[in-house]
């Protein structure tokens, strides 16, 4: 995920008041993106960065002579791709202190006259251009929407994008599947039953409520994937990011289900030759990995049987960057029936 461009307090270009006594929790979120390690991880994510690079540099006909807004520009890599592709003017905005380094990077690479960086909150910042031909952003978070800045991208679209302008990327899809993961579930959840001879089982509920972001072996997946949410950035509204969706997971073999997993795909569908990348267990590693939701029950499934349910996703009321996720599920099969519901919080 790129760094934020829409959740700070105070919007002056290339300057902020970041004294600890004046910082809120949202400021600490922004400040975390000033650490180089986060940007190193994102830049070294070759699936992520190369897809953006190809989407921009292989389509110079879209960028030549155009104005581009980079929302949450971070170290400026997407802005430089756009300038290299022939954009006449690029504006990058970010609220994190990493933008101070980005300015040096822009100058070191000879783009000072093409790229202008603005430090601050998109809602309040004064941009040097009021309309853009293209908006680029790497806004995606874990499970797509955790700590994401999609609402800021939608605001930028409504406020700054020309009528027939382009968004890159422009479509994201979210998926669920079920996995067999008995050993790791026992290690993570069952551990609390006996901690050096003491009963810690009260913590199991807390542990179950915390989704795990980790890499899932494709061999552990026991159902077909199910697409439960499609977000078209050209038409999506902020209200669409709170939703309830049904799911139906069909077992591909006889096995046991210990958890559900979620991931997302990102598409650049407006290109002459569309590009996409996936963060699923079937695809090459990305820093987003997959998100694992452990169930209380163990579901015994036979090939061809379905696990049905609903998933609810909403920003947390106290901190909109956190996600509240609830699931209910039910299964009736040869081995019996089971149903349940769980509430999760990504924070």
């Amino acid at each position: 995920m790129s760094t934020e461009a829409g959740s700070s307090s105070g919007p002056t270009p290339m300057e902020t008041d970041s004294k600890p006594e004046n910082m809120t929790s949202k400021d600490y979120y922004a400040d975390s993106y000033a650490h180089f390690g986060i940007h190193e991880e994102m830049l070294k994510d070759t699936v992520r960065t190369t897809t953006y690079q190809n989407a921009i540099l292989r389509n110079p006909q879209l960028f030549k002579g155009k104005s581009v807004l980079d929302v949450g520009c971070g170290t400026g890599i997407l802005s430089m791709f756009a300038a290299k592709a022939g954009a006449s003017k690029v504006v990058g905005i970010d609220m994190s202190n990493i933008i101070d380094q980005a300015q040096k990077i822009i100058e070191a690479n000879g783009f000072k006259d093409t790229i202008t960086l603005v430090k601050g909150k998109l809602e309040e910042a004064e941009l040097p251009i009021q309309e853009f031909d293209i908006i680029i952003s790497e806004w995606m978070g874990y499970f797509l929407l955790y700590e994401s800045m999609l609402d800021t991208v939608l605001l930028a679209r409504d406020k700054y994008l020309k009528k027939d302008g382009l968004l890159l990327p422009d479509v994201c899809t979210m998926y669920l599947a079920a996995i067999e993961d008995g050993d790791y579930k026992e290690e993570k959840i069952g551990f609390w039953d006996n901690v050096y001879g003491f009963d810690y089982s009260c913590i199991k509920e807390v542990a179950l409520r915390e989704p795990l972001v980790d890499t899932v072996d494709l061999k552990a997946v026991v159902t077909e994937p199910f697409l439960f949410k499609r977000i078209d950035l050209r038409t999506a509204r902020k209200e669409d990011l709170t939703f309830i969706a049904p799911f139906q997971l069909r077992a591909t073999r006889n096995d046991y289900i210990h958890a559900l997993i979620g991931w997302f795909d990102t598409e650049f569908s407006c290109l002459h030759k569309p590009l996409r990348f996936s963060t699923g267990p079937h695809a090459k590693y990305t820093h987003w990995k997959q998100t694992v939701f452990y169930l209380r029950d163990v579901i015994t499934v036979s090939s061809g049987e379905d696990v049905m349910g609903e998933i609810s996703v909403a920003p947390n009321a106290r901190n909109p960057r956190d996600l509240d996720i609830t699931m209910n599920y039910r299964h009736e099969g040869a081995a019996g029936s089971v149903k349940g519901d769980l509430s999760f919080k990504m924070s």
Side-chain angles (χ1 to χ4, degrees), residues 110-127:
F111 292 115
K112 182 174 64 172
D113 294 334
T114 306
I115 301 174
T116 299
L117 299 183
V118 178
K119 191 175 188 178
K121 184 177 180 181
L122 183 78
E123 293 88 335
E124 300 172 1
E126 291 291 332
L127 301 187

Side-chain angles (χ1 to χ4, degrees), residues 70-89:
D70 181 0
V71 180
C73 62
T75 59
I77 187 71
L78 303 188
S79 293
M80 290 190 292
F81 287 156
K84 189 175 180 180
S88 59
K89 189 63 180 177

